[in-house]
Amino acid sequence: MMMTVTPPSTSLQTVSVALAGCPRTYPIIIGAGVLNNLPLLLKIHVFKNNQSGKVLIVTDKTVAGLYLNTVENSLKAEGVLTQTFVVPTGEIAKTADQLSQLYEACHAFGISRRDVVLALGGGVVGDLSGYAAATYYRGCQFVQVPTTLLAQVDSSVGGKVAVNFKDVKNAIGTFYQPSLVVADTACIETLPQRERLAGLAEMVKYALIEQAALGNETPLTAETSFLAHYEAVGSNWAENLPSLIANCCQLKAAVVARDEQESAASDDATGRVCLNLGHTFAHAYESALGYGVLLHGEAVAIGLMQAFWLAERLHLVSTQTANRVQNLLETLNLFPIALPKLPTVDELVALMRKDKKVLKADGLRFVLPTDPIGSLVVDDTVPVADVIAVLERYHHAI
Ligand SMILES: NC(=O)c1ccc[n+]([C@@H]2O[C@H](COP(=O)([O-])OP(=O)(O)OC[C@H]3O[C@@H](n4cnc5c(N)ncnc54)[C@H](O)[C@@H]3O)[C@@H](O)[C@H]2O)c1
């Protein structure tokens, strides 16, 4: 099915990712129909000083069927030379083999350092293309056009690019920032509902880490917080996507600007580690059920609730705060997450213990929420008994 894309948007939102070193600052342009503005945006933000260049579009089979024609045609109409490299849909495309074929495509097209590798798709296409862009001729221009919710709020921002190697996820990777991110929120309309909810879970995470993400310098007020915004829009979130996505990108940009390469101390809850709220639980569920059974965002939704319940048991947050989070997740259909099979509590704890980042001398290590909501701490001494109690509580709720 070929999609007709919404006409160019009149209300675009721009978030700037301000990295140390001015030339590396780049914009994220967000709006419904912004895909149609792509040639102009490339001209302004990528091909500066009236230079032009070639664009190698990398996409997956599914996204190619939906949006490739629009992108190709709009670029060709402006005289931009394009070629396309289509990978299979799904995680199977994030391999060294696909990377090698992508290098072949760069070579055949005669890509130089001033030309563009443009990722049109979800996080898989973004991660693969970004790694190719980072390494081909020691780095050519990279543009992200994310089409999943997860990619629009997370993977396209921040510069982590990678492919998997053997059975290790993201084993071959680096940090490489794009020159431009263009997030067309109209693309989310064609995304399957499960993928939309999985992306939404990551978006809620941003609302729950807002104070930490802002580096504790800007005190939040209850009325203006991102969380209050979510609570106000509730189940109408899809109608408010551009502003919600812009909020997420602002928070990720703030974290990345402070801790671009995850070099902050591991106990600094305002470093990149803050993005991992709920992820220790999430990874255990993903691993226990077998990768691909749960979407990552679904596992994150489970992990967020469990992190707040754990913090409640440890007196870091009030019961009122934990209930507030549960209410929001319920309203958004993110609580409880149905599981095809229930892993045992012992299995989940064993998986957490296996992770060197989680198992510490005095207990388990978690990024946990603390009141006022939006703030986080890193706790190395979480008793296993409390973790078990939280897992059981969730399993009873399903
Ligand atoms: N680099 C980072 O910082 C970072 C962060 C988080 C996740 N990731 C990576 O991102 C990947 C997951 O990304 P994802 O969830 O976007 O998965 P994905 O790229 O596999 O996309 C999910 C599915 O949606 C389809 N799709 C994409 N856009 C669509 C649209 N608009 N309409 C209909 N279908 C569409 C895809 O073809 C695919 O089937 C993982 O490999 C993960 O490791 C990277």
Side-chain angles (χ1 to χ4, degrees):
M1 178 182 45
M2 189 55 57
M3 292 307 299
T4 319
V5 174
T6 316
S9 175
T10 45
S11 57
L12 299 182
Q13 312 222 17
T14 303
V15 173
S16 202
V17 186
L19 297 159
C22 253
R24 296 193 317 131
T25 295
Y26 61 90
I28 304 166
I29 319 254
I30 304 155
V34 66
L35 219 49
N36 293 309
N37 304 14
L38 198 53
L40 181 64
L41 294 171
L42 283 174
K43 206 180 237 175
I44 298 170
H45 298 288
V46 183
F47 300 130
K48 297 168 186 163
N49 308 322
N50 296 326
Q51 290 174 348
S52 66
K54 299 175 188 173
V55 176
L56 179 65
I57 304 164
V58 184
T59 190
D60 73 24
K61 246 182 149 168
T62 307
V63 178
L66 294 166
Y67 300 108
L68 181 57
N69 263 11
T70 305
V71 170
E72 265 180 347
N73 292 344
S74 68
L75 291 174
K76 280 180 183 157
E78 293 300 319
V80 180
L81 217 52
T82 70
Q83 263 187 23
T84 302
F85 180 74
V86 182
V87 299
T89 294
E91 194 71 23
I92 47 165
K94 247 176 81 170
T95 60
D97 181 46
Q98 285 295 326
L99 178 67
S100 162
Q101 292 183 41
L102 179 47
Y103 289 142
E104 295 279 355
C106 290
H107 178 69
F109 192 26
I111 287 279
S112 72
R113 298 190 67 184
R114 71 186 173 91
D115 295 321
V116 173
V117 174
L118 183 147
L120 172 69
V124 164
V125 164
D127 280 10
L128 168 74
S129 318
Y131 190 77
T135 46
Y136 195 71
Y137 280 129
R138 297 197 184 90
C140 45
Q141 303 256 33
F142 178 40
V143 171
Q144 289 260 26
V145 183
T147 61
T148 64
L149 206 44
L150 178 124
Q152 294 191 349
V153 299
D154 190 3
S155 61
S156 68
V157 183
K160 279 190 177 178
V161 293
V163 293
N164 305 327
F165 188 64
K166 300 204 183 275
D167 60 347
V168 187
K169 208 164 146 57
N170 300 326
I172 304 172
T174 187
F175 292 89
Y176 193 66
Q177 304 292 342
S179 313
L180 169 69
V181 181
V182 178
D184 191 331
T185 52
C187 294
I188 304 309
E189 285 166 25
T190 57
L191 200 61
Q193 178 66 357
R194 254 188 97 189
E195 296 282 353
R196 284 158 60 108
L197 285 183
L200 182 63
E202 288 284 0
M203 292 169 71
V204 171
K205 179 197 74 183
Y206 284 103
L208 300 175
I209 66 167
E210 185 173 10
Q211 185 67 82
L214 292 173
N216 294 337
E217 281 137 32
T218 324
L220 292 178
T221 66
E223 298 74 34
T224 59
S225 73
F226 185 15
L227 180 58
H229 186 26
Y230 263 105
E231 288 169 331
V233 302
S235 54
N236 293 330
W237 61 272
E239 289 154 36
N240 293 274
L241 265 186
S243 69
L244 293 173
I245 290 174
N247 276 145
C248 296
C249 291
Q250 269 157 4
L251 294 182
K252 181 140 187 198
V255 175
V256 170
R258 260 199 328 276
D259 185 19
E260 185 183 354
Q261 303 209 352
E262 243 163 30
S263 34
S266 58
D267 60 350
D268 176 0
T270 67
R272 229 172 147 142
V273 73
C274 73
L275 301 168
N276 291 342
L277 179 66
H279 280 59
T280 301
F281 287 114
H283 290 151
Y285 279 89
E286 284 179 285
S287 173
L289 291 170
Y291 281 95
V293 174
L294 271 188
L295 294 178
H296 177 63
E298 292 172 327
V300 168
I302 296 173
L304 290 175
M305 193 64 258
Q306 294 184 343
F308 273 83
W309 282 345
L310 184 54
E312 181 190 0
R313 283 186 73 84
L314 301 174
H315 307 291
L316 293 167
V317 301
S318 65
T319 299
Q320 196 188 9
T321 294
N323 289 346
R324 188 176 170 190
V325 172
Q326 183 175 331
N327 285 341
L328 178 64
L329 292 172
E330 268 169 353
T331 307
L332 301 175
N333 282 326
L334 292 169
F335 176 86
I337 296 288
L339 297 174
K341 93 175 182 346
L342 211 51
T344 66
V345 165
D346 289 347
E347 199 179 353
L348 292 164
V349 171
L351 284 163
M352 291 182 211
R353 281 181 185 278
K354 246 168 112 182
D355 185 341
K356 287 197 188 70
K357 282 190 194 156
V358 178
L359 185 61
K360 296 287 154 189
D362 296 335
L364 299 176
R365 180 174 194 274
F366 280 84
V367 178
L368 287 176
T370 181
D371 278 326
I373 195 161
S375 308
L376 301 177
V377 289
V378 178
D379 189 340
D380 273 347
T381 59
V382 177
V384 172
D386 288 301
V387 176
I388 290 175
V390 161
L391 295 170
E392 284 173 345
R393 183 172 172 186
Y394 199 93
H395 293 184
H396 283 133
I398 293 179

